[in-house]
Amino acid sequence: TYTPTAKDGYKFDHWEDNYPDNPYLYTVTADTILRAVFVAADFPVTVRSANDMQGSVNPTVTNEDHTFKTSMSIQAVPETGYVFSHWTGKSGATIPGLPSSFTYIIEAVDTTFTAHFVPNKFYLNVLSSNPDWGTASPASGDQTFGTTITLSATPKLGYKFTDWSDGNSNSSRSYTIGASNATITANFAKADFPLTVNNDGHGTTTPAGRNEYEYQSTVNITATPSTGYEFSHWQNGDINPSVSYYVVADDSIYTAYF
């Protein structure tokens, strides 16, 4: 009885006289040479993605037989917003140093390659339309794709937030990081503040009553006495009936006395 034993990666195929059985029960009747023929064996290969939403693999195979010592090209392809991270093997352990694309020479083992992907980082530039009028946060920098951050716009005294460059009008709002570098700008404008112009009842003023005016603008105010009266002064002591008021970031009152 003759029993051929294959080495790792190979399998017995047949005897040279085409006898297929192993072991071979042979009756010796003369000088004889028996040759066992071996061929490369097939071994299962699995290639897969750990998360199909983050990336795919090429080829995608599950326990597909490949012949020992032949080669196959394997590639990990990230989806938009993700990057390849690493491969793990059948045991789940990381395979160090293995790039996203490589050629695998079939080994005499059941092999699994699992591609892992992670969200990419993109630069978010957070700006103020005028740093003297207001600030925007957080600071510009790298942000992780798909995450949601809070943007905040804070106007300085005398100014107001109007909107963000994407049209959002909330000074504090959520922003989801997209798959590209981006710039978002907080827009500010001068705020309006109330000015009330009164009189003591013996004349009129132009303008009169309570009105709002843009911060740092100039309002021309004129006091006109009624018949029989003359202008005396404004509440701040100014005796000129026509004055210019510089709008400040406050609720202001101007009163004319006759």
Side-chain angles (χ1 to χ4, degrees):
T1 300
Y2 297 92
T3 304
T5 302
K7 294 185 177 180
D8 287 346
Y10 297 92
K11 64 180 179 181
F12 170 77
D13 188 63
H14 63 277
W15 294 95
E16 209 167 54
D17 63 359
N18 292 320
Y19 187 80
D21 291 350
N22 178 17
Y24 188 175
L25 184 60
Y26 179 74
T27 301
V28 179
T29 59
D31 292 344
T32 303
I33 296 177
L34 296 177
R35 285 192 176 88
V37 178
F38 299 89
V39 295
D42 292 335
F43 295 91
V45 177
T46 296
V47 184
R48 62 192 179 190
S49 169
N51 187 329
D52 292 335
M53 299 294 291
Q54 298 179 353
S56 60
V57 293
N58 185 27
T60 300
V61 294
T62 301
N63 290 327
E64 183 177 83
D65 284 339
H66 288 263
T67 302
F68 180 58
K69 286 191 175 181
T70 60
S71 64
M72 64 182 296
S73 295
I74 297 175
Q75 182 181 23
V77 183
E79 292 292 335
T80 300
Y82 295 88
V83 291
F84 169 76
S85 173
H86 63 279
W87 295 96
T88 54
K90 190 174 180 65
S91 68
T94 297
I95 305 173
L98 196 60
S100 60
S101 297
F102 66 98
T103 298
Y104 172 59
I105 305 302
I106 306 302
E107 298 178 358
V109 290
D110 182 346
T111 303
T112 296
F113 294 103
T114 302
H116 295 260
F117 304 90
V118 295
N120 202 356
K121 289 185 178 294
F122 297 95
Y123 192 84
L124 179 63
N125 204 18
V126 183
L127 302 177
S128 166
S129 61
N130 188 330
D132 292 333
W133 292 8
T135 59
S137 63
S140 299
D142 288 335
Q143 299 285 351
T144 302
F145 169 71
T147 59
T148 298
I149 64 172
T150 298
L151 298 176
S152 296
T154 305
K156 294 185 178 181
L157 182 65
Y159 301 90
K160 63 182 178 180
F161 167 77
T162 58
D163 61 3
W164 296 93
S165 54
D166 63 356
N168 189 296
S169 59
N170 296 313
S171 60
S172 180
R173 45 80 65 101
S174 296
Y175 181 87
T176 300
I177 305 302
S180 63
N181 297 332
T183 295
I184 187 78
T185 302
N187 296 314
F188 299 93
K190 291 183 177 182
D192 293 333
F193 292 92
L195 170 63
T196 302
V197 182
N198 296 325
N199 67 80
D200 64 359
H202 300 299
T204 61
T205 61
T206 304
R210 182 183 177 89
N211 296 283
E212 291 193 343
Y213 301 93
E214 185 180 87
Y215 176 60
Q216 293 181 334
S217 65
T218 299
V219 181
N220 294 319
I221 307 172
T222 300
T224 304
S226 297
T227 302
Y229 292 88
E230 66 179 9
F231 175 74
S232 173
H233 64 278
W234 296 97
Q235 91 283 355
N236 63 355
D238 195 326
I239 61 174
N240 191 335
S242 295
V243 295
S244 294
Y245 171 74
Y246 184 75
V247 179
V248 297
D250 201 357
D251 188 343
S252 300
I253 298 176
Y254 244 64
T255 303
Y257 293 92
F258 302 90

